Amino acid sequence: MFAMSGGAAPGLVLRLLVLRLLVHCLPVHRVAVALVVLLALQAAAVAQGGGPLVLPDTQYEPIEWSDLEGWTSDDHAAAFAAFLGSCRTLQNRRRQSARDLTPIPAALKDICEDARQAIPLDEDGARKFFEDHFRPIRISRLGDSDGFLTGYYEPIIAGSRVPTGEFTAPLYRRPPNLVPAGRRKLGDAFPSKGVFVGRRVGRRKIAPYYDRGQIEDGALVGWHLEICYLHDQVDVLFAQIQGSARIRLEDGAILRVNYDSHNGWPYTPVGRVLVDQKILSRDQVSMQSIRDWMEANPDQAKEARRQNKSYVFFRITDLATEDEAVGGQGVPLMPGRSIAIDRALHAYGTPFFIQAELPIANQKIGTKFDRLMIAQDTGSAIVGPARADIYFGAGDEAARIAGRIKNPGTFVMLVPRELDPVAAGSDVPLPPTRPGLFSFNFDNMPDPTVPDGTADEVPLPEAKPAMAAGANAAPSVNSKSNARRRR
């Protein structure tokens, strides 16, 4: 497993070289040391602007397909169909966007061409396609073992085109004075995060936009921005949380609305507010429990809502009644296969294999959820490398399932083979092996007293003549020692 984060550090080649050295040289009990060394190299991902993976504060673990539990039993044909939906958008891109912080979109575009030529594929063919074109990499936030999953859906809400005694809460389109900082080209999508958004004052100044409380109190009255009217502000809030809605009008027609923009204030989950105020416990929080409490306590609900200063504006879509909602990528979402991801980190169209135990049937029983998902949407509350919102479809049943999901899960990112960090690291040659501290062979060590060359090449001194018998010889060392002992 290795990690990357933001900042300045050595280059990609050095990181891959160190990775190979650590894997090649260190025993299992030194894995912690390997991680520490790699953390020192974590910043190059962002600084380089290229390379196999460029995700800040993220740890990676390359794995094999055979080690991926639940992989062979998934419906890969369904996942392939969702992937093809993303491909239609990816292949229409004429150039790389400035928002692409990784080389993944360009690599996905090439894979999409192979996918288009491979149609049709059966179940086995779809599974082989993913295995041939991607490398599975387990990812999580630095220091975490798992990611986090929630669910979302498209609510069906009663409404009216005009205000009535029953329908009093307006659903607004984007105000003309809501602008992001910096220059934007005509036709660019409104940024969902990472850019200051505010209210234009004069020609150059941008001030913070009206927050939820100000808008609910009438800050936009008279601007003629009303798309339709819902029963109350609770319905408006839930439509904003989900990002889209089907409005059933009084004449029976269905009005489809989708996320368009936001007011620039950070998103604060209302469930967190209720937990902090000890109104609900963490285990009690769900979309249904929040709605039930708000409807039973309208005055307190008003104050709780206003803790979330973020406010979403909508646009009318031309979707037919039977069509699924359209995600941030601009493609129809597929229930149970589409996920919303952090767009600041991940590219649309990226496949993720998610492993979790989710309360699909009811709140108490977990259902094994091992499924290949495609990143096709985003949201302001979705932050982090291993964070996803699962789309469950439209209607009451989808609402009940989505409302129960707040579970940990394992994220396996499918990285295009051409960006495989393990393969890239294997191309970096290892340096000659250096002997360890205790690995010297003393039997083969040269005699330090012998100069360069072999001992046979050094001439020996001439032998001294033998002493004559009875001559006075110098006392030996032993004799001197014995004499000292006697004295």
Side-chain angles (χ1 to χ4, degrees), residues 49-129:
L53 290 173
V54 187
L55 301 180
D57 300 318
T58 303
Q59 56 194 26
Y60 309 82
E61 182 184 1
I63 59 176
E64 299 298 331
W65 293 111
S66 57
D67 297 330
L68 198 55
E69 183 180 355
W71 169 253
T72 56
S73 59
D74 190 22
D75 185 354
H76 299 88
F80 185 74
F83 181 70
L84 285 176
S86 288
C87 283
R88 295 184 185 96
T89 298
L90 288 168
Q91 288 185 302
N92 289 335
R93 290 162 48 106
R94 295 184 178 181
R95 59 181 177 82
Q96 186 167 342
S97 170
R99 293 190 63 194
D100 294 336
L101 301 181
T102 74
I104 288 179
L108 288 176
K109 188 173 181 179
D110 294 337
I111 294 175
C112 283
E113 180 61 27
D114 292 343
R116 187 182 63 82
Q117 296 179 4
I119 298 173
L121 284 178
D122 58 13
E123 172 60 29
D124 291 337
R127 177 170 59 83
K128 188 175 185 305
F129 177 88

Side-chain angles (χ1 to χ4, degrees), residues 142-341:
L142 203 58
D144 294 343
S145 59
D146 289 319
F148 189 68
L149 298 165
T150 50
Y152 73 114
Y153 68 103
E154 188 178 25
I156 302 175
I157 307 172
S160 171
R161 295 187 187 275
V162 296
T164 67
E166 181 181 0
F167 301 107
T168 59
L171 199 69
Y172 287 122
R173 61 173 53 87
R174 186 199 308 180
N177 64 341
L178 178 70
V179 294
R183 296 184 176 181
R184 297 171 60 247
K185 294 183 178 180
L186 186 63
D188 283 354
F190 198 90
S192 61
K193 61 181 66 174
V195 176
F196 177 72
V197 174
R199 174 169 51 93
R200 185 176 296 283
V201 180
R203 296 185 60 185
R204 297 186 178 181
K205 184 179 178 180
I206 298 180
Y209 207 77
Y210 306 118
D211 64 21
R212 177 176 297 275
Q214 293 170 314
I215 294 174
E216 287 188 1
D217 286 342
L220 299 180
V221 171
W223 286 69
H224 305 292
L225 302 172
E226 298 84 358
I227 294 176
C228 61
Y229 293 82
L230 306 184
H231 179 68
D232 55 25
Q233 292 294 345
V234 176
D235 280 347
V236 173
L237 174 66
F238 274 79
Q240 292 174 331
I241 291 174
Q242 303 310 318
S244 64
R246 304 184 185 202
I247 312 300
R248 181 181 287 113
L249 301 174
E250 291 176 303
D251 60 1
I254 299 294
L255 181 66
R256 304 291 298 271
V257 296
N258 209 24
Y259 171 93
D260 177 84
S261 51
H262 63 99
N263 65 342
W265 288 92
Y267 174 80
T268 301
V270 177
R272 182 192 303 165
V273 173
L274 299 184
V275 170
D276 292 344
Q277 294 179 357
K278 303 186 183 307
I279 295 173
L280 295 176
S281 70
R282 191 175 298 275
D283 292 336
Q284 290 175 322
V285 170
S286 69
M287 292 183 189
Q288 190 58 49
S289 65
I290 293 172
R291 176 181 282 277
D292 291 344
W293 179 84
M294 285 189 167
E295 291 177 349
N297 303 274
D299 292 335
Q300 289 177 273
K302 180 178 180 180
E303 295 305 316
R305 279 197 315 273
R306 294 178 179 215
Q307 298 297 312
N308 175 28
K309 296 185 177 183
S310 176
Y311 198 91
V312 168
F313 302 102
F314 291 88
R315 57 182 173 83
I316 299 175
T317 72
D318 58 357
L319 295 173
T321 303
E322 65 274 10
D323 292 338
E324 291 292 343
V326 172
Q329 192 184 9
V331 301
L333 301 175
M334 181 178 292
R337 291 291 170 181
S338 298
I339 55 174
I341 44 81

Side-chain angles (χ1 to χ4, degrees), residues 6-30:
L12 173 63
V13 172
L14 179 58
R15 286 185 289 126
L16 295 174
L17 175 59
V18 172
L19 176 60
R20 282 202 69 206
L21 285 171
L22 292 172
V23 174
H24 180 76
C25 301
L26 291 181
V28 173
H29 68 278
R30 300 293 297 278

